[in-house]
Amino acid sequence: MSRRAQLLLIPLLGLLPFAGCGSSEPAAFRVREDVGKLMKGTKSGGKARAKVEETIERFYGSPSELRVWERLPIDFGGYRGRVVVPEEPDYNTKSAVTIAWDAGDVGEEAPTIAAGTRAIYRPLAPAAAPAESEEETTTEEGNEVVSEPVAAPEPVEMTVAGYDHEKGLLVFEQAFPSPPAAGAEILVDPGAKLVYGKHLYLEHCMHCHGVTGDGNGPTARYLNPRPRDYRNGVFKFTSTGTPYKAHRHDLALVVRNGIPGTYMPSFLLLEDDEMDAIVEYVRWLACRGEQEKFLADNLLGSFSQEAYDAADKEGKQALVEEFEAYLASDDEFDSWTAIFKESVDDQLVKKWNDAQAEAAVIVPDVPRVESTPESVARGRALYVGGKAKCVNCHGPGGKGDGQQTRDFQLVKGTTKTHPEPGLYDDWGNQIQPRNLTLGLYRGGRRPIDVFRRIKAGIKGTPMPAAAISDAEIWDLVNYVMSLPYETPAASAPNDAAATAAKPTAAGDTES
Amino acid sequence: MKYFWVFFFAVFPLAVLGLCFAAPSMNWWFPYGNPAMTPLGQQIDGLFYLILGITGATFVGTQIALVYVLWRGAVDTEGKAHFSHGSHELEVIWTIVPAGILLFIALYQMDVWANYRIKANFPSGLVAAGEEGGHAEFSGPIAEVTARQFEWRIRYPSPDRVFHNEREVREWLRNPQPDDLHTVNDLHSPTQEPVMIYLRTEDVQHSFFVPELRVKQDAVPGLVIPIWWQALKPDEYEWTCTELCGWGHYKMKARVVAEPAEDYEAFLESLRESQFDDGFQTASAE
């Protein structure tokens, strides 16, 4: 090698630390296993799998191009307002409007709207157009706006040039295509929160929970218990009643405090707006997963690849035709749009909104019963008794080694048993009932947290809601919360009330 | 070319010295350009400057000698080199002088090290005489900090709990109590007075590091290690893990909140209130 070439190598060495940097493959949402089981179809149609993937992609986008679909019960961020036309406009109406913000979006404080922010202007629909229009916009740069084939006018993408909060004056770089009418809707920075949440999620959560929220990120395989798979829309530790989904606060509480006894660490130092954005993004991922599941479940009965493979030539042709007919069907209850809308409105919007209501949150009827030896003894009686049946799973000593952990359990919704004895959660993971002697409370250690675990059960797990009164639950809470501190000498008198076996391993608390 | 190396070895140390002097104003110095926020930390900084002075002077001296020799060789190409098989005297000198310096540093820092690490030398309020002994100002630890992958779990004794002697502290460390208060990644401590925590780990090795307080201590599996400090200023101090403990090491960012004693007590009270929340009062108060 010539001397000059050697000299040239020296500056190149300086670049070594940067090796491996640069843009990698854009992340993609992973398709659910159930969707993979759907019929692939042929050239002439019957592409059930592609149809589901396409639909989900269309309404949710990809990680690098998120879609804001306003039908969803998600706070996507940005500001929404309506045009107010003043009586004497003192500005150029071609590119500026006064705006009245929606109450929820802008409070007392002035919104921070920088020049260059993206905005969507929605001209008023003609009077004859149907009231309900499919609202859909996209986020991030360079995406086309997709609109449903409804008679509403096309939304127009604009760029904010400036904003004066005093006057409520919003100025755009472009002129409006037509003079804006009072009441026309303007969205400023739509999806800002979702995009922010995505960035934070990819930074903090993705490597365990996965890009898709399927609990299958790169580090997930090293973890036991497994990271939560959001795609069923089920979260374990909630303050809401049994039939409800999780409240936003519940997700925030888990992110803030972590889950002791698992690999979920605390993210206490996140700012409030960061926390909001992450929680909202997780809810959005849950919606996306649930909808994918719903669509797949709907089609799997008739249009699985398994059924297709099993069919003879005519049968295959019939399946393809049936699927095409299914999509094209005008019957309100059969058509693709109908199941799609039903899945969104019933499965997502209503359920997620209901969980945010005050009525969904469990509040005890009575304050906590004082943790006296008598209350603890009553709790112990309930624990071992037939009414609450805690002992079946959690074991006589609260060690999480009850009889059920040694029995073969039925696979949920079938008559088959699992191949291994023990309890399983709805995600198919084998799980242990909580060892109550450790003093680790995954859903929080406040009495109210333990109360809610007992009252509503733990969603997605075999832990059922207890059918006992609130006062009884408090007794049970007192008993359960006394377990980590139990010593043989102290527990003996309390046990007098209990008829069943005494805790065998009491006093053996792990520190 | 022969002057190139003279120039090179002259410029390099000068640049290093220049950087050294410019560093504090560029915020490349101690965390956030601040002096230590604890008296002991200021003594540690003093030791740092002492060692920096000694090594700096040595560095400058050797570089001057090196440049001089190179320059001599470059100027005087005719002179003959002196060949030596070694000098016993010289070797004794260059062994004894650095050894003396090291011995001086070793002895000089002992006080600071003992105050930092040896429990018997901790401020009097933090240690009681013997296992059963105690004295009026004895206060015991403010918390037990347990590191785990990847967070810090903190257990405070109940504000009502009074430790009289070491035995009670040990008992408390061994047996968590129902009235203990718990937080994660958020350690509060009063300012001005010396405070102590006990550090342990649930899994692998971690390290407790609060740069502004100059406190750094490994958490070692199986050990319960006391650490103390005396924060001079109420502030939120950054607290990190400084032992590569696994893939989520970077997540172990937390904070130490030093606050005046009355704020600290108010914090414990509010913590107690929220931890024993039964959801009933709060609901009816709304």
Side-chain angles (χ1 to χ4, degrees):
Chain A
M1 201 188 275
S2 75
R3 195 177 164 77
R4 180 169 293 179
Q6 283 174 1
L7 283 175
L8 272 176
L9 274 178
I10 294 170
L12 283 178
L13 280 179
L15 294 176
L16 261 185
F18 300 100
C21 298
S23 60
S24 50
E25 282 288 295
F29 288 131
R30 198 177 295 172
V31 179
R32 211 182 169 89
E33 304 78 29
D34 291 354
V35 176
K37 289 183 200 151
L38 288 172
M39 189 164 76
K40 261 192 237 138
T42 60
K43 266 182 203 157
S44 54
K47 294 180 171 138
R49 191 182 301 183
K51 182 71 186 172
V52 173
E53 286 177 29
E54 204 175 276
T55 310
I56 293 296
E57 160 96 28
R58 173 155 182 225
F59 288 94
Y60 293 86
S62 63
S64 51
E65 191 192 312
L66 304 180
R67 293 272 160 100
V68 168
W69 187 27
E70 292 180 297
R71 188 182 274 273
L72 294 177
I74 302 290
D75 174 10
F76 288 103
Y79 309 107
R80 182 197 300 265
R82 288 181 189 278
V83 172
V84 183
V85 177
E87 285 169 16
E88 286 175 41
D90 58 349
Y91 52 85
N92 175 9
T93 46
K94 272 187 180 167
S95 62
V97 284
T98 48
I99 190 155
W101 298 111
D102 284 10
D105 284 4
V106 178
E108 294 285 299
E109 278 183 36
T112 46
I113 299 173
T117 307
R118 223 171 128 262
I120 304 271
Y121 163 63
R122 251 183 225 139
L124 276 187
E132 188 198 338
S133 71
E134 286 293 328
E135 304 122 344
E136 183 186 339
T137 59
T138 60
T139 65
E140 299 202 330
E141 310 78 20
N143 305 326
E144 84 280 25
V145 172
V146 183
S147 64
E148 288 279 311
V150 181
E154 292 271 314
V156 184
E157 188 146 341
M158 317 223 358
T159 311
V160 175
Y163 171 66
D164 180 344
H165 188 61
E166 295 268 300
K167 295 183 192 152
L169 190 66
L170 195 57
V171 188
F172 293 98
E173 282 177 8
Q174 307 86 343
F176 284 98
S178 56
E185 202 174 54
I186 291 181
L187 300 170
V188 177
D189 213 0
K193 192 186 230 180
L194 192 71
V195 171
Y196 188 39
K198 179 194 78 177
H199 286 304
L200 292 165
Y201 180 88
L202 292 181
E203 184 184 341
H204 297 293
C205 324
M206 179 273 281
H207 51 80
C208 288
H209 291 285
V211 173
T212 326
D214 55 0
N216 205 7
T219 42
R221 67 162 98 168
Y222 306 112
L223 310 183
N224 180 22
R226 304 276 294 177
R228 180 66 45 249
D229 173 358
Y230 311 135
R231 295 174 308 166
N232 296 352
V234 177
F235 293 89
K236 279 165 83 169
F237 307 112
T238 65
S239 59
T240 52
T242 316
Y244 295 101
K245 289 190 173 291
H247 195 284
R248 283 189 174 91
H249 299 163
D250 301 329
L251 303 185
L253 195 74
V254 165
V255 176
R256 194 171 289 119
N257 292 339
I259 306 182
T262 76
Y263 268 88
M264 174 77 186
S266 152
F267 295 90
L268 184 84
L269 299 193
L270 289 176
E271 302 290 338
D272 287 349
D273 63 328
E274 293 178 314
M275 181 66 78
D276 281 358
I278 286 187
V279 166
E280 220 51 42
Y281 188 70
V282 167
R283 293 173 82 245
W284 182 78
L285 283 177
C287 287
R288 183 191 171 281
E290 258 186 289
Q291 186 157 9
E292 200 182 14
K293 178 177 158 62
F294 189 82
L295 294 182
D297 287 354
N298 243 279
L299 295 180
L300 262 179
S302 328
F303 303 110
S304 68
Q305 183 68 28
E306 209 181 346
Y308 182 82
D309 289 341
D312 57 9
K313 204 175 168 203
E314 275 117 63
K316 286 185 162 91
Q317 185 57 32
L319 266 178
V320 169
E321 274 165 22
E322 198 187 326
F323 182 70
E324 290 306 308
Y326 179 65
L327 293 187
S329 165
D330 284 328
D331 182 345
E332 209 188 325
F333 296 102
D334 265 1
S335 75
W336 179 253
T337 355
I339 64 162
F340 191 65
K341 280 188 177 158
E342 189 195 334
S343 72
V344 177
D345 290 349
D346 300 351
Q347 301 293 312
L348 301 178
V349 182
K350 187 169 180 309
K351 288 189 177 175
W352 280 104
N353 281 339
D354 284 354
Q356 310 305 313
E358 224 171 89
V361 175
I362 294 174
V363 176
D365 293 342
V366 287
R368 182 182 182 184
V369 177
E370 208 192 325
S371 183
T372 55
E374 294 74 40
S375 163
V376 170
R378 286 196 300 270
R380 168 77 189 164
L382 282 163
Y383 181 89
V384 296
K387 219 166 160 192
K389 294 188 192 137
C390 312
V391 72
N392 291 0
C393 294
H394 291 281
K399 292 256 179 191
D401 55 357
Q403 181 56 43
Q404 297 282 328
T405 61
R406 295 188 291 277
D407 289 347
F408 284 90
Q409 308 288 338
L410 287 182
V411 179
K412 204 172 181 183
T414 67
T415 50
K416 283 187 304 185
T417 55
H418 285 283
E420 300 279 328
L423 296 157
Y424 286 78
D425 63 17
D426 289 1
W427 293 272
N429 302 317
Q430 195 176 26
I431 53 168
Q432 291 287 320
R434 190 68 46 252
N435 180 344
L436 300 166
T437 64
L438 297 180
L440 290 175
Y441 302 97
R442 292 195 178 172
R445 67 181 320 125
R446 297 175 303 173
I448 181 64
D449 294 323
V450 183
F451 180 94
R452 284 169 177 158
R453 295 300 89 77
I454 298 172
K455 173 97 176 175
I458 297 176
K459 291 155 198 172
T461 75
M463 170 85 181
I468 51 179
S469 76
D470 283 8
E472 286 175 313
I473 293 180
W474 280 128
D475 287 336
L476 203 44
V477 168
N478 288 337
Y479 172 66
V480 164
M481 293 191 82
S482 75
L483 278 173
Y485 313 107
E486 202 174 42
T487 55
S491 74
N494 299 347
D495 250 17
T499 47
K502 289 194 177 191
T504 48
D508 186 15
T509 52
E510 294 174 36
S511 55
Chain B
M1 194 63 191
K2 58 190 180 187
Y3 286 101
F4 171 79
W5 294 112
V6 181
F7 180 72
F8 180 83
F9 282 104
V11 163
F12 181 62
L14 282 176
V16 170
L17 275 186
L19 273 179
C20 233
F21 282 109
S25 62
M26 313 280 284
N27 208 4
W28 292 345
W29 209 235
F30 288 133
Y32 321 113
N34 284 330
M37 284 299 153
T38 62
L40 190 62
Q42 286 164 6
Q43 289 177 29
I44 294 173
D45 287 1
L47 286 177
F48 173 83
Y49 281 112
L50 173 76
I51 294 171
L52 184 68
I54 294 172
T55 52
T58 311
F59 176 73
V60 170
T62 49
Q63 291 300 313
I64 287 174
L66 178 64
V67 169
Y68 170 73
V69 168
L70 286 170
W71 179 75
R72 269 272 310 268
V75 170
D76 181 12
T77 48
E78 300 299 311
K80 272 196 166 174
H82 169 68
F83 186 73
S84 157
H85 271 294
S87 156
H88 187 71
E89 264 170 53
L90 214 55
E91 282 174 19
V92 168
I93 291 172
W94 78 44
T95 307
I96 286 186
V97 170
I101 294 174
L102 287 179
L103 192 65
F104 164 72
I105 295 174
L107 295 174
Y108 185 79
Q109 58 83 44
M110 272 172 69
D111 275 356
V112 175
W113 180 250
N115 290 340
Y116 181 56
R117 284 297 318 130
I118 297 172
K119 209 173 159 199
N121 285 42
F122 282 11
S124 62
L126 301 180
V127 280
E131 185 78 345
E132 293 288 337
H135 51 82
E137 10 164 6
F138 180 66
S139 61
I142 58 160
E144 171 205 60
V145 172
T146 307
R148 73 178 200 113
Q149 289 174 318
F150 297 100
E151 64 187 2
W152 305 93
R153 294 220 157 243
I154 299 143
R155 177 166 72 98
Y156 302 88
S158 157
D160 302 333
R161 183 174 300 278
V162 181
F163 295 110
H164 296 101
N165 51 42
E166 290 294 318
R167 191 180 51 78
E168 290 180 8
V169 173
R170 268 166 207 275
E171 282 290 301
W172 178 76
L173 285 171
R174 229 182 334 246
N175 303 312
Q177 295 300 308
D179 57 356
D180 288 342
L181 303 175
H182 299 256
T183 58
V184 202
N185 288 356
D186 186 23
L187 176 61
H188 286 242
S189 79
T191 47
Q192 298 307 333
E193 55 189 288
V195 295
M196 179 168 64
I197 62 159
Y198 279 91
L199 181 67
R200 64 205 303 176
T201 165
E202 216 172 72
D203 34 48
V204 300
Q205 205 168 329
H206 297 272
S207 184
F208 179 100
F209 184 32
V210 187
E212 286 165 278
L213 301 179
R214 307 285 190 272
V215 176
K216 190 183 218 176
Q217 172 61 52
D218 279 10
V220 184
L223 295 185
V224 184
I225 301 171
I227 316 172
W228 78 277
W229 65 83
Q230 182 182 0
L232 294 174
K233 203 178 75 169
D235 207 345
E236 240 176 59
Y237 298 109
E238 197 172 70
W239 162 22
T240 61
C241 177
T242 173
E243 181 72 55
L244 186 57
C245 57
W247 59 266
H249 170 57
Y250 68 97
K251 283 179 195 289
M252 293 187 70
K253 194 178 154 190
R255 66 175 177 214
V256 171
V257 180
E259 53 201 357
E262 58 268 29
D263 291 0
Y264 174 66
E265 275 153 32
F267 162 77
L268 286 184
E269 268 323 307
S270 71
L271 184 60
R272 172 145 70 174
E273 207 166 286
S274 70
Q275 189 176 307
F276 292 98
D277 182 11
D278 67 359
F280 183 75
Q281 277 94 343
T282 43
S284 51
E286 268 163 16

